[in-house]
């Protein structure tokens, strides 16, 4: 069995959570994993969760401050100054190397005489099998929207076994038009930003591609992001 560690930020968080939840249950006590290693990884997970959430909150706050600054300079209704986000209490600080500690625990589990392929799959640590065309038709992309330098939207998507994605964009969340095709994550929407001190909401959806240009599977869920003229 080939082990698998998710390379995406959210994916790794979810994978570690699934592994810890199941590996610490009585069902898999037979694997003999060390309690102190499991506890240390859970502390890593809690700190990483706090850091991801805090980064997102602070990034949103900074974007609001930039918009406020631009309106002050160029004109418009200033409205209310963005409020500094209130972060959760900081969890215990661990040390660098969360992914390595996770990989070490995976190897401990794989070396256990009690390990089976079914258990490994349930723990989420087996590399996904290569997909065939027959089971790709239910494929549905997932992605995350954030900001690149300069305030342009950055579409963070996972390629997996697919050739690429077509990206469609909308200004109202209903009427979509093709923006581009992307064959290597991630994608920056370099469309001109709104006029200074102006904010707009842009909507996106993705679908996987086969044979370079043919749609495959289902459209992703629609996601939106606020963009502000610089």
């Amino acid at each position: 069995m080939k082990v698998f560690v998710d390379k995406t930020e959210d994916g790794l968080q979810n994978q570690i959570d699934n592994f810890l939840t199941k590996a610490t249950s009585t069902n898999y006590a037979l694997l003999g994993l060390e309690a102190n290693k499991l506890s240390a990884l859970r502390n890593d997970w809690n700190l990483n969760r706090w850091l991801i959430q805090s980064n997102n909150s602070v990034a949103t706050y900074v974007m609001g401050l930039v918009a406020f600054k631009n309106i002050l300079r160029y004109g418009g209704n200033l409205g209310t100054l963005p409020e500094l986000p209130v972060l959760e209490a900081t969890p215990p600080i661990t040390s660098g190397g969360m992914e390595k500690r996770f990989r070490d625990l995976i190897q401990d589990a794989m070396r256990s005489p009690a390990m089976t392929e079914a258990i490994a799959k349930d723990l989420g640590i087996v590399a996904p099998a290569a997909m065939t065309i027959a089971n790709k038709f239910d494929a549905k992309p997932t992605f995350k929207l954030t900001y690149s330098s300069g305030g342009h939207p950055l579409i963070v998507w996972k390629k997996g076994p697919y050739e690429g994605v077509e990206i469609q964009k909308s200004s109202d969340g209903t009427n979509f038009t093709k923006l581009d095709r992307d064959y290597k994550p991630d994608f920056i929407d370099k469309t001109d930003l709104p006029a200074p001190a102006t904010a707009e909401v842009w909507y996106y959806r993705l679908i996987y591609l086969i044979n370079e240009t043919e749609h495959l599977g289902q459209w992703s869920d629609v996601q939106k992001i606020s963009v502000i003229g610089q």
Side-chain angles (χ1 to χ4, degrees):
M1 292 180 286
K2 183 178 180 181
V3 299
F4 162 71
V5 174
D6 199 306
K7 290 297 185 181
T8 65
E9 190 172 78
D10 291 338
L12 180 61
Q13 271 294 95
N14 292 334
Q15 185 185 18
I16 291 176
D17 187 38
N18 175 74
F19 178 88
L20 289 172
T21 300
K22 293 176 178 176
T24 54
S25 70
T26 55
N27 293 339
Y28 295 139
L30 72 169
L31 293 177
L33 299 178
E34 295 181 30
N36 62 326
K37 289 186 177 181
L38 292 167
S39 177
L41 187 61
R42 177 57 75 182
N43 289 338
D44 288 336
W45 183 90
N46 279 325
L47 178 58
N48 200 47
R49 177 194 59 81
W50 181 86
L51 288 169
I52 291 172
Q53 291 180 352
S54 298
N55 270 284
N56 290 340
S57 296
V58 170
T60 300
Y61 173 68
V62 169
M63 287 297 297
L65 283 182
V66 170
F68 200 90
K69 174 181 68 67
N70 288 339
I71 293 172
L72 175 63
R73 177 174 179 177
Y74 297 109
N77 181 14
L78 277 173
T80 304
L81 187 69
E83 293 185 7
L84 189 68
V86 178
L87 305 180
E88 293 181 9
T90 309
I93 303 299
T94 59
S95 61
M98 177 181 74
E99 183 174 326
K100 181 182 184 302
R101 287 188 283 276
F102 182 38
R103 289 181 179 276
D104 289 345
L105 260 174
I106 289 175
Q107 291 304 318
D108 290 347
M110 297 301 289
R111 284 192 290 266
S112 171
M115 175 59 73
T116 65
E117 185 171 355
I119 291 175
K121 287 181 178 179
D122 193 34
L123 292 174
I125 56 175
V126 176
M131 300 182 72
T132 63
I133 294 297
N135 63 11
K136 284 184 179 178
F137 293 105
D138 290 330
K140 182 177 180 180
T142 58
F143 65 99
K144 181 172 69 173
L145 292 175
T146 183
Y147 299 96
S148 68
S149 58
H152 289 269
L154 173 64
I155 301 174
V156 181
W157 63 281
K158 188 173 181 180
K159 185 173 183 179
Y162 307 99
E163 294 181 16
V165 292
E166 179 172 305
I167 302 166
Q168 292 193 353
K169 181 179 177 181
S170 169
S171 60
D172 60 9
T174 302
N175 300 295
F176 284 86
T177 58
K178 176 185 169 185
L179 173 63
D180 207 341
R181 296 190 180 103
D182 192 29
Y183 299 94
K184 184 178 180 181
D186 296 311
F187 180 85
I188 299 175
D189 181 359
K190 297 182 179 179
T191 305
D192 290 341
L193 295 173
T198 303
E200 295 179 0
V201 177
W202 292 353
Y203 300 81
Y204 298 88
R205 67 178 185 178
L206 278 59
I207 194 168
Y208 283 122
L209 296 173
I210 192 172
N211 299 325
E212 294 190 359
T213 60
E214 297 178 27
H215 291 178
L216 178 68
Q218 305 175 40
W219 284 102
S220 68
D221 294 333
V222 174
Q223 295 199 42
K224 63 182 180 180
I225 190 169
S226 296
V227 289
I228 302 169
Q230 302 295 310

